[in-house]
Amino acid sequence: MNFKDNKPIYIQIAEHICDDVLAGIYRADERIPSVREFAASVEVNANTVVRSYDYLQQSGIIYNKRGLGYFVADGAAKIITDMRRKQILGDELSLMFSRMATIGISPDELQRLYTEYLNAQQ
């Protein structure tokens, strides 16, 4: 995993796990890697992974079965989707619109680019 400087590592790890949940790699009520397993796989301190798992648990995305490990919560994909939608439609889109207005990108140009992007994904 390649970490970026603009965001805390524990958040990047949490987002990676969320990506895996949305991709179906981890399904509801399935076990995710232990703290130690995950820390070793991404070469970070176990305390960083603990912080990520705590964040995900507080968000309702995973839960802990004492002595067995962490598991994906039922409805985790919806929680993740709702969180990301709120983030994009709130802070990120507002900043993007501001920058677009500053440099003169029109709604029509944005629509064309988005349509091209969607067509390329098919």
Side-chain angles (χ1 to χ4, degrees), residues 100 104-111:
M100 287 173 54
I105 296 175
S106 71
D108 290 337
E109 186 176 358
L110 178 63
Q111 177 63 46

Side-chain angles (χ1 to χ4, degrees), residues 44-111:
V44 298
N45 187 296
N47 290 331
T48 304
V49 177
V50 167
R51 196 166 177 200
S52 299
Y53 283 20
D54 285 345
Y55 171 79
L56 292 169
Q57 190 170 9
Q58 289 173 6
S59 299
I61 296 167
I62 64 173
Y63 63 94
N64 188 355
K65 283 187 182 178
R66 193 173 182 159
L68 297 177
Y70 288 92
F71 293 77
V72 177
D74 190 36
K78 180 167 179 9
I79 292 168
I80 296 164
T81 301
D82 290 347
M83 284 173 51
R84 289 187 173 177
R85 185 176 179 83
K86 183 179 177 184
Q87 180 183 7
I88 290 171
L89 293 177
D91 303 334
E92 293 177 19
L93 202 53
S94 186
L95 176 61
M96 186 180 86
F97 285 160
S98 171
R99 289 181 175 168
M100 287 173 54
T102 301
I103 61 173
I105 296 175
S106 71
D108 290 337
E109 186 176 358
L110 178 63
Q111 177 63 46

